[in-house]
Amino acid sequence: MIKLSPSILSADFANLGRDVMEVDRAGAEYLHIDVMDGLFVPSISYGFPIIRSIRPLTKMVFDVHLMIQDPIRYIDEFAKAGADLITVHQEACENLQEVIHAIKAAGCRASVSVKPNTPVSVLFDYLDQLDMVLIMTVEPGFGGQAYLEFTTEKIRAISAEIKRRGLATEVQVDGGINRNTLDTVLEAGANVIVGGSSVFGKDIAGNIQELRTIMEKYEK
Ligand code: DX5
Ligand code: ZN
């Protein structure tokens, strides 16, 4: 099944609870929560108190994307705050194997991401332990950027490797996904779709419906 993971980075923070409940009502499976530390990426977003405060509002899978240096320091605390699925960046980890173990030991599903210029081959040794991989389709750090066309080949390559090994690892894409780029990533094999600026805004339910109509064409 192809899943939608709205990124609350583009939500209305003065009405965050309302926006979260709205994407839930519209049928989103995951909720994408971007955490930035001002070090791994230039910007700072939000952390534990925000996750804790929206946790009671929904049963959606909390898909926490950690854009932070040395995430091992905070895995347990994100799990306690309500994360279900934790993504760390390969580029941010000194010992990726340890971090994957820490995520699982904390009771969460484990995922690893690569930035646009990091080859997907760095994930190959870990694939059989991962519930998901996240292929960044923009440089991490900000919402509303344009999809980087050269990342399509990476989505295709990782999806092919997962299929070749018969794994159930999900392939998430994040950055610049909208009604114009969605076909490209789905055709390349992505099955968890992050949408920030393409979901939040005036008509959340309408935006989701529009993306869902495209996603349905690729449902097996
Ligand atoms: C960017 C974040 C994304 C961001 C996507 O670093 O990881 O999740 O919210 O925003 P859009 O969908 O607007 O490109
Ligand atoms: Zn993200």
Side-chain angles (χ1 to χ4, degrees):
M1 186 201 179
I2 300 165
K3 293 164 184 159
L4 183 66
S5 190
S7 165
I8 58 167
L9 195 59
S10 293
D12 172 2
F13 286 102
N15 295 286
L16 182 58
R18 181 202 65 191
D19 278 11
V20 167
M21 287 188 284
E22 190 152 351
V23 293
D24 188 352
R25 254 198 312 276
E29 289 84 6
Y30 291 3
L31 190 71
H32 191 80
I33 303 174
D34 289 295
V35 178
M36 305 180 184
D37 66 351
L39 187 64
F40 181 70
V41 290
S43 194
I44 296 178
S45 56
Y46 41 71
F48 310 116
I50 296 285
I51 300 175
R52 267 197 295 272
S53 62
I54 58 174
R55 184 65 280 189
L57 301 179
T58 172
K59 290 196 166 65
M60 277 183 290
V61 170
F62 274 18
D63 159 27
V64 177
H65 178 193
L66 297 182
M67 285 164 275
I68 65 178
Q69 197 60 45
D70 297 320
I72 191 126
R73 297 174 292 156
Y74 296 112
I75 299 299
D76 284 344
E77 212 166 336
F78 279 110
K80 281 199 199 94
D84 297 300
L85 166 60
I86 295 180
T87 299
V88 295
H89 269 267
Q90 184 271 340
E91 305 89 349
C93 299
E94 217 166 277
N95 185 333
L96 187 55
Q97 185 60 72
E98 264 179 36
V99 186
I100 294 168
H101 281 150
I103 296 172
K104 295 196 166 180
C108 294
R109 287 152 66 189
S111 160
V112 177
S113 180
V114 285
K115 299 204 277 186
N117 290 310
T118 304
V120 290
S121 55
V122 303
L123 301 172
F124 283 15
D125 282 350
Y126 307 93
L127 263 189
D128 55 346
Q129 307 172 50
L130 296 177
D131 297 288
M132 190 175 83
V133 291
L134 165 52
I135 307 302
M136 286 306 299
T137 47
V138 300
E139 284 300 333
F142 303 97
Q145 303 181 76
Y147 179 80
L148 295 170
E149 281 297 340
F150 73 87
T151 61
T152 308
E153 263 327 297
K154 296 174 65 182
I155 305 167
R156 217 186 292 288
I158 200 77
S159 304
E161 183 64 15
I162 288 167
K163 194 165 174 209
R164 192 181 69 79
R165 297 199 207 170
L167 298 171
T169 316
E170 294 184 324
V171 178
Q172 183 174 62
V173 287
D174 182 10
I177 313 295
N178 55 42
R179 70 169 91 98
N180 301 316
T181 53
L182 186 50
D183 278 291
T184 303
V185 296
L186 290 168
E187 188 271 320
N191 50 25
V192 182
I193 306 301
V194 176
S197 43
S198 60
V199 168
F200 291 97
K202 263 209 281 325
D203 181 12
I204 293 177
N207 293 340
I208 289 185
Q209 192 43 54
E210 190 180 15
L211 296 175
R212 202 60 98 172
T213 305
I214 301 171
M215 286 158 67
E216 275 162 13
K217 293 190 294 178
Y218 296 83
E219 215 59 85
K220 293 185 194 86

